Amino acid sequence: MRISELARLTNVSARAIRHYEEKGLLQAERLDNDYRDFKPSAVDRIHSIQLYLKLGLTADEIRSLFTCEVASPDDYEYCEEMLEIYEGKLHKVNRQIESMLQLKKLLERQVALTVAGKNEGDLRISV
């Protein structure tokens, strides 16, 4: 199938599909007229790529997952690389959450101090 049909079926832009191909995540054969010709399985592959991207994986990480014999993110055959990538990503997300919680506490403190200072100023003006 041509790239335009693949884009329509997956709701992914032709530009993104070319990018996936450039990154080695997707393969297409070239016709005599140099048009790309994708196999029907490319639809499932793009859906997998999209899910992995939503999980925060990079193109390199996704490519290494595709070297495992796993068809999609929902097919849970054991793959050491997949486990390492998922655990690493989870660790990174947990660190980001902790950092955001610390930032939230600091901001709440600054808001409380600012409101307290405003209230003290209002009391001085009204006296």
Side-chain angles (χ1 to χ4, degrees), residues 49-102:
I49 292 167
Q50 292 290 297
L51 178 61
Y52 287 135
L53 290 171
K54 287 178 185 174
L55 290 173
L57 275 63
T58 66
D60 290 337
E61 290 169 331
I62 295 169
R63 189 173 44 256
S64 72
L65 289 180
F66 285 157
T67 62
C68 292
E69 295 299 320
V70 176
S72 76
D74 294 330
D75 291 338
Y76 288 107
E77 293 179 21
Y78 181 76
C79 172
E80 187 68 33
E81 281 185 68
M82 183 178 287
L83 180 60
E84 288 175 18
I85 289 171
Y86 285 160
E87 287 177 336
K89 192 60 66 174
L90 181 59
H91 181 69
K92 182 177 179 182
V93 166
N94 283 330
R95 283 195 329 259
Q96 290 172 333
I97 289 170
E98 186 58 38
S99 176
M100 294 302 288
L101 288 172
Q102 289 174 4

Side-chain angles (χ1 to χ4, degrees), residues 12-26:
V12 172
S13 71
R15 182 176 181 213
I17 293 170
R18 285 190 291 273
H19 177 73
Y20 299 158
E21 185 182 15
E22 182 181 298
K23 292 292 186 178
L25 303 177
L26 191 63

Side-chain angles (χ1 to χ4, degrees), residues 9-12 42-52 73:
L9 290 172
T10 58
N11 201 28
V12 172
V43 172
D44 290 333
R45 177 75 125 192
I46 287 178
H47 289 146
S48 293
I49 292 167
Q50 292 290 297
L51 178 61
Y52 287 135

